[in-house]
Amino acid sequence: MMGVENVKVLGILGAHRADGVTAQLLQAVLKGAAASADTELVNLNDYELRPDHDSQPNDDLDALEAKLMAADVWVLAAPTYLGSLSGVMKNFCDCFRGRIARFNSVGEAVPDRFKNKHYVTITDCYAGGIENYLTGVTDATFKTLDKFLTMGGLIKLREIVVTKTWGMQTITAAKQAECERVGARAAHKKERDDSTVKRYIQLFFMIAVMALLTMGIEAGIQQLIPLNNFWAYYGVFVVVFYVLLAMILHFFTVVKHRRR
C-alpha cells in the first residue's frame, strides 16, 4: 500500500519457515506500517546468497541491495537458535558485509549509502521469559544484527522479542498489537532523529541521581566508620560512585533489551 508520507518499510525474513512465529511477527510489524507507508517483505530463502567475487556477477545480492537502498526502514526478523542468530540471517549478514559500508585503506568500515536509515530487529526463542532475562539467550542475536547494521550507519528504533515459542503456532493478540504499534511508529521515521540534547539531559539526570545515591550510601557508611578527613570522605565517594556507574553501564550495554 502506498502511504501519504512516501516512506518505504522493508521486512527481511531470515527464518526457515515462511509461516512460523518469526514470520508472523514480521508480518504484524509490516501490517502496522502499511497504514502510512509502502511495505514489502523479502524472504532470504528465495535468494541464492553468496559472497562477492570480482570476476562473477551476483544478481541476487544486487537485487537485495536495490531493495535495501530504496527502503527508509529495515525490519529484520530471525529466530535465535542455540543462543545465536539463525544461519539464514547470518549468511545474509556475512555475504552483504562488503556492501553494508565503505571500507577505507586499513579495512575500517565507514558508513556510506545506507547511513541514517532506521531499523527494527525481531527475534524469538524457546527459552522462557525469566530465563532469557537472567541469562540473555537472545543477546547474541541482537548484538550481531546491531553490529552489522550500525556498521552501515543505520539507526536503531526498537527490538521485539517473543520467548517460550516451543509448540507455539500463532503469536498472541498482545504481541500482535505490540508489533503493529512498532510498525506504525517506524513508518514515520524517515529522517534521522537528532537526540544529542536529549542524551545530554539524560546524562545530567543520571549523574545527579548517582551523586545523590552515593551521598546517601556514604552517610550510612559514616555511621559505621567515621570519615574524619577530606581524603577519607573523597575516597569512599569515588569508590561508591564508580560501583554505581559500572552497574548502570553494564545494564545499558549488556542486559537491557526487550527480552520478553
Side-chain angles (χ1 to χ4, degrees):
M1 173 186 307
M2 181 61 71
V4 297
E5 297 183 5
N6 200 31
V7 174
K8 177 69 177 291
V9 180
L10 180 68
I12 305 166
L13 179 63
H16 293 291
R17 292 183 55 189
D19 60 350
V21 170
T22 309
Q24 292 175 41
L25 294 167
L26 178 56
Q27 289 163 355
V29 172
L30 295 181
K31 180 180 179 182
S36 57
D38 183 15
T39 64
E40 182 181 1
L41 189 154
V42 297
N43 188 335
L44 293 177
N45 292 295
D46 296 334
Y47 295 82
E48 184 180 345
L49 300 178
R50 55 179 175 76
D52 286 309
H53 297 288
D54 293 338
S55 60
Q56 300 177 9
N58 201 336
D59 295 339
D60 281 6
L61 217 56
D62 289 343
L64 279 173
E65 181 176 354
K67 291 179 182 294
L68 291 166
M69 191 66 230
D72 302 293
V73 180
W74 304 356
V75 185
L76 292 89
T80 294
Y81 292 145
L82 303 175
S84 186
L85 184 63
S86 70
V88 178
M89 184 64 79
K90 183 62 166 62
N91 185 49
F92 164 70
C93 295
D94 290 344
C95 293
F96 205 77
R97 178 176 57 88
R99 302 189 184 209
I100 190 68
R102 173 175 56 83
F103 290 85
N104 62 20
S105 58
V106 294
E108 296 173 333
V110 179
D112 192 19
R113 56 196 181 280
F114 300 118
K115 186 178 180 181
N116 294 342
K117 292 181 182 292
H118 291 76
Y119 74 92
V120 174
T121 47
I122 302 171
T123 196
D124 52 87
C125 64
Y126 285 169
I130 299 298
E131 178 186 354
N132 190 36
Y133 189 83
L134 295 176
T135 65
V137 175
T138 56
D139 278 358
T141 293
F142 284 121
K143 288 180 180 178
T144 300
L145 289 174
D146 288 343
K147 186 173 184 179
F148 170 70
L149 295 164
T150 55
M151 187 168 69
L154 280 84
I155 303 165
K156 187 171 189 172
L157 294 177
R158 181 74 179 267
E159 295 172 351
I160 299 174
V161 179
V162 171
T163 56
K164 206 172 182 180
T165 58
W166 172 255
M168 184 182 293
Q169 299 300 317
T170 58
I171 62 176
T172 65
K175 189 59 69 171
Q176 173 79 26
E178 177 191 340
C179 290
E180 290 184 20
R181 287 194 299 271
V182 171
R185 294 189 187 118
H188 297 285
K189 293 289 184 181
K190 187 175 181 180
E191 307 243 337
R192 178 169 187 171
D193 299 317
D194 186 3
S195 55
T196 303
V197 175
K198 178 181 177 182
R199 288 175 183 151
Y200 277 120
I201 293 173
Q202 290 175 336
L203 179 63
F204 172 81
F205 281 105
M206 183 177 73
I207 292 176
V209 170
M210 285 175 55
L212 181 63
L213 289 173
T214 301
M215 292 174 66
I217 293 171
E218 194 165 27
I221 293 174
Q222 198 164 15
Q223 298 297 318
L224 302 174
I225 306 173
L227 304 175
N228 297 322
N229 62 72
F230 169 81
W231 291 110
Y233 192 90
Y234 173 75
V236 171
F237 185 94
V238 169
V239 171
V240 174
F241 192 89
Y242 172 78
V243 171
L244 291 175
L245 179 61
M247 292 171 61
I248 289 175
L249 289 177
H250 177 76
F251 177 79
F252 279 102
T253 59
V254 178
V255 177
K256 184 181 180 292
H257 73 66
R258 296 178 177 274
R259 291 178 176 158
R260 293 194 188 182

